[in-house]
Amino acid sequence: MIVTSLKTRSDATAVPPSWIPNPVSLQAFASILAPGTATPVLQWFANSMVAAALNATLVVITASLAAYPLARMQFRGKNFVFVIIVATLLVPPVILVIPNYLIVSELGWLNSLAAIIIPTAASAFGVFFMRQFFVGLPIELEEAARLDGANRFVIFMQVVLPLAKPALATLALLAFLGNWNDFLWPVYVLFSPEVQTLPAGLSTLQSANAVRYDLLMAGAVVASVPVLALFIFLQRFIIEGVSRSGVKG
């Protein structure tokens, strides 16, 4: 991908293909990143960053708030609620496209970033993942805080969440990646080029430049950079979060 993005148009389609660009060219990046083009890749990139970051933030908030009561609090029907939440993971997401579209349309969110940020803000997988992590935390720490006079919310905010940083970072990255790579839903709800996200926008680039493999690979490189950077930055938390989330259930 990187090698092809650094080739000229003719070199990218040469037969047989070469591993080393000759000459090395940044023309593909200049073409897709130039302002005022019909394919505003930088705008798509910004839209995807905003949507994925806000969606990941909402997922972490809703999942942690829902998972903690299911892990620590006792109330009637707790196990039933948890089973229902986990059961929704068996529903294929494509089944929800039409009902979600109708809801978003009634709310007036079509052709806006709200349409790709809010509908997936409550994640069943996030609730399951965080609940498993909370169950594995030593309950003695919470009991000690309760003896010191802390209420349930203070314990959650000042004791549980700091200990859950690995799981929160892992869930945030997974939510960011899911929203960043989403293609089908943005195609249905985003119409204008200026509000399009990067995966859907790159499909337009492909249809408009079917044989411009240098442009397609340059766009793919741009789309890969944030995910790789986040993974490199958060990999320590990801490994710890995944390893600890299945300790006790």
Side-chain angles (χ1 to χ4, degrees), residues 31-107:
S31 297
I32 66 171
L33 299 178
T37 62
T39 54
V41 173
L42 286 180
Q43 183 64 49
W44 297 340
F45 182 89
N47 293 341
S48 290
M49 284 293 294
V50 171
L54 292 178
N55 179 260
T57 301
L58 291 175
V59 167
V60 168
I61 293 173
T62 58
S64 58
L65 288 173
Y68 182 70
L70 292 172
R72 288 290 193 250
M73 300 175 66
Q74 299 299 324
F75 56 91
R76 182 177 300 178
K78 182 181 76 170
N79 292 333
F80 177 75
V81 171
F82 181 64
V83 168
I84 293 298
I85 292 175
V86 174
T88 62
L89 294 173
L90 303 177
V91 179
V94 69
I95 293 178
L96 304 177
V97 169
I98 294 178
N100 282 344
Y101 181 90
L102 295 176
I103 294 172
V104 168
S105 177
E106 289 296 323
L107 292 173

Side-chain angles (χ1 to χ4, degrees), residues 37-235:
T37 62
T39 54
V41 173
L42 286 180
Q43 183 64 49
W44 297 340
F45 182 89
N47 293 341
S48 290
M49 284 293 294
V50 171
L54 292 178
N55 179 260
T57 301
L58 291 175
V59 167
V60 168
I61 293 173
T62 58
S64 58
L65 288 173
Y68 182 70
L70 292 172
R72 288 290 193 250
M73 300 175 66
Q74 299 299 324
F75 56 91
R76 182 177 300 178
K78 182 181 76 170
N79 292 333
F80 177 75
V81 171
F82 181 64
V83 168
I84 293 298
I85 292 175
V86 174
T88 62
L89 294 173
L90 303 177
V91 179
V94 69
I95 293 178
L96 304 177
V97 169
I98 294 178
N100 282 344
Y101 181 90
L102 295 176
I103 294 172
V104 168
S105 177
E106 289 296 323
L107 292 173
W109 291 348
L110 290 178
N111 203 33
S112 70
L113 292 183
I116 59 174
I117 295 173
I118 299 177
T120 57
S123 168
F125 170 78
V127 174
F128 170 78
F129 183 80
M130 293 304 303
R131 187 258 182 191
Q132 295 302 102
F133 190 91
F134 290 151
V135 167
L137 293 177
I139 197 172
E140 292 79 10
L141 298 175
E142 299 174 49
E143 292 175 345
R146 191 175 298 111
L147 290 175
D148 290 338
N151 59 34
R152 181 72 72 175
F153 185 74
V154 172
I155 293 173
F156 174 71
M157 294 296 296
Q158 299 185 8
V159 177
V160 176
L161 287 187
L163 294 174
K165 285 181 180 179
L168 295 174
T170 303
L171 179 59
L173 180 61
L174 293 175
F176 183 96
L177 182 60
N179 190 279
W180 180 270
N181 287 334
D182 193 13
F183 169 75
L184 182 63
W185 181 243
V187 168
Y188 278 106
V189 297
L190 302 178
F191 315 128
S192 303
E194 59 271 13
V195 297
Q196 196 61 266
T197 56
L198 197 56
L202 290 180
S203 68
T204 304
L205 181 69
Q206 183 174 1
S207 62
N209 305 278
V211 296
R212 292 298 304 272
Y213 297 110
D214 53 333
L215 298 186
L216 299 179
M217 293 302 102
V221 170
V222 172
S224 302
V225 169
V227 176
L228 292 175
L230 278 175
F231 180 78
I232 292 172
F233 180 72
L234 298 175
Q235 60 178 328

